[in-house]
Amino acid sequence: MSARVLVVDDVLPNVKLLAAKLTREYFNVITAFNGPEALEMVHRESPDIVLLDVMMPGMDGFEVCERIRSDPATMHIPVVMVTALSDVADRVRGLEAGADDFLTKPVNDIALFARVRSLVRLKMMMDEWRLRENTSGQFGVIERSGTLLNESFERARILVLEDSALDLDKVTETLQRDHNSVMATDTGAKALERALTNELDLVVVSLTLVNEDGLRLCSQLRSHERTRQVPILLMVDEGDLNHVAKGLELGANDYVIKPIDRNELLARARTQIRRKRYQERLRANYEQSLSMALTDSLTGVFNRRYVNAHLPRLLERAIDSQKPVAVLMFDIDHFKVVNDSYGHTIGDEVLREVSARASRNLRTFDLVARLGGEEFIVILPDTDGEAALIVAERLRQRIADVPFTVSAVGADEISVTVSIGISVGGRLGDTAETLIRRADEALYEAKRSGRNCVIADARIAIDG
């Protein structure tokens, strides 16, 4: 996996050493020698990961990390602090500043490359969700998700796999400080069962189990759709870097060294919970934006944008399968009179009820969309001209025969009718544009013919 790595250190030999190691692994390396230069490079070069020295004159690594994390444009870039500091308090301070990991010099190559590859994979996934959010933001349908550090880390649902009673008590008590709900188990089979039946924010897996390999659970969690995105935090013995590297390769997100420092465990757990919740917010925003972009907010049916994307594909399939597709265009007769007589609130009620009646009287795979105003379209796959005429006439009757109940004072019920035009396509050379145009022309003919009627495009007799 190739990636752009920014190495930041005020000591030139340290920069050269790290750059040489990374270059041999086919990473693209860029460098900076102080905090301000590092921030400039982060904005200008958009690295995939930052390897950041802590002890630099002027602006130290902690401040650089905090600035990267506080900027919505750069907060998603992974930061690994690489330093001679080995005190647990320094590691915790770095993690609380937003660092993804804290590697002590001299850096072990196995740990370095495993961490870089793991975090770059994570960034690529987050970049995809951020790109989708940015696209949605351009449509103006959602607000941005804020920053990662703004996400809550409290009241998480956590599963712990540990067969040491002493370690389990320590881990459970520590994680419960954030008002978390912690489930514990001592076998991988039980852990997998609980993971598949509960919504989890974090899974903590010991790699020092007596009778089984905790990495097996990591593999199983990543193979199930339900648990694929749940963060995994490993607990490992000091020096067991081969297992750490394998765990990160299998999809684990982070690790903590035994004997466990409570503050470090809490800091790493908070980082993973925050990231999961931020990613879920991105996904939810995207799904919401997709729904808002493709549906009509008043009636709940699809909108013109969806029709423009869906009908060409449907028509292409109809041509390939030699099965016709029918289009009904209809609008509400004298709808302006409704608005002028009763107000736009009642007009909205009529639009919603027309949409509901249309949807109720069609097959589940037929499509209803509001094109704008009082104009609607219905798309009927695998439907010839004769069948389309039957459907259109039934729809017209369902709307005209039963008065609409509305909330207007002095007008509990009002009569509503629609005019409908039909076209059918599926021949080589047919396009969505021509199909819609022919249905629209038939609709106008229905209006000229007195309204509250169905008119088919002249080609239907030929196509049928």
Side-chain angles (χ1 to χ4, degrees), residues 153-173:
F153 53 76
E154 295 182 317
R155 302 190 183 281
R157 294 149 299 185
I158 301 175
L159 173 65
V160 179
L161 171 61
E162 175 62 84
D163 60 5
S164 165
L166 184 63
D167 285 343
L168 181 59
D169 287 344
K170 184 175 184 180
V171 170
T172 301
E173 189 277 329

Side-chain angles (χ1 to χ4, degrees), residues 113-170:
F113 298 142
R115 207 69 183 100
V116 169
R117 292 188 177 100
S118 171
L119 289 170
V120 167
R121 281 195 301 269
L122 174 65
K123 178 180 178 291
M124 288 179 176
M125 179 181 66
M126 295 294 285
D127 282 349
E128 176 62 25
W129 285 112
R130 284 169 52 82
L131 178 62
R132 295 179 182 184
E133 184 188 46
N134 288 337
T135 301
S136 301
Q138 291 172 4
F139 288 146
V141 295
I142 62 167
E143 296 181 359
R144 300 298 171 86
S145 296
T147 65
L148 183 64
L149 293 180
N150 288 339
E151 292 295 332
S152 167
F153 53 76
E154 295 182 317
R155 302 190 183 281
R157 294 149 299 185
I158 301 175
L159 173 65
V160 179
L161 171 61
E162 175 62 84
D163 60 5
S164 165
L166 184 63
D167 285 343
L168 181 59
D169 287 344
K170 184 175 184 180

Side-chain angles (χ1 to χ4, degrees), residues 110 114 121 207 213 215 218-219 234 240-252:
I110 295 175
R121 281 195 301 269
L207 297 189
D213 185 357
L215 291 178
C218 296
S219 174
L234 304 177
D240 193 9
L241 294 178
N242 287 325
H243 273 86
V244 169
K246 188 63 177 177
L248 294 173
E249 181 183 331
L250 288 171

Side-chain angles (χ1 to χ4, degrees), residues 6 29 35 37 84 150 182 244 254 261 298 302 321 342 366 380 400 429:
L6 172 60
V29 180
E37 185 181 357
N150 288 339
V182 181
V244 169
D254 199 3
D261 177 82
L298 175 65
F302 289 110
S321 64
Y342 305 107
D366 295 331
L380 308 171

Side-chain angles (χ1 to χ4, degrees), residues 311-312 315 319 427-438:
L311 184 55
L315 186 57
I319 293 171
R427 286 186 169 187
L428 194 63
D430 284 338
T431 67
E433 292 78 10
T434 58
L435 202 57
I436 290 175
R437 189 190 72 245
R438 285 159 39 199

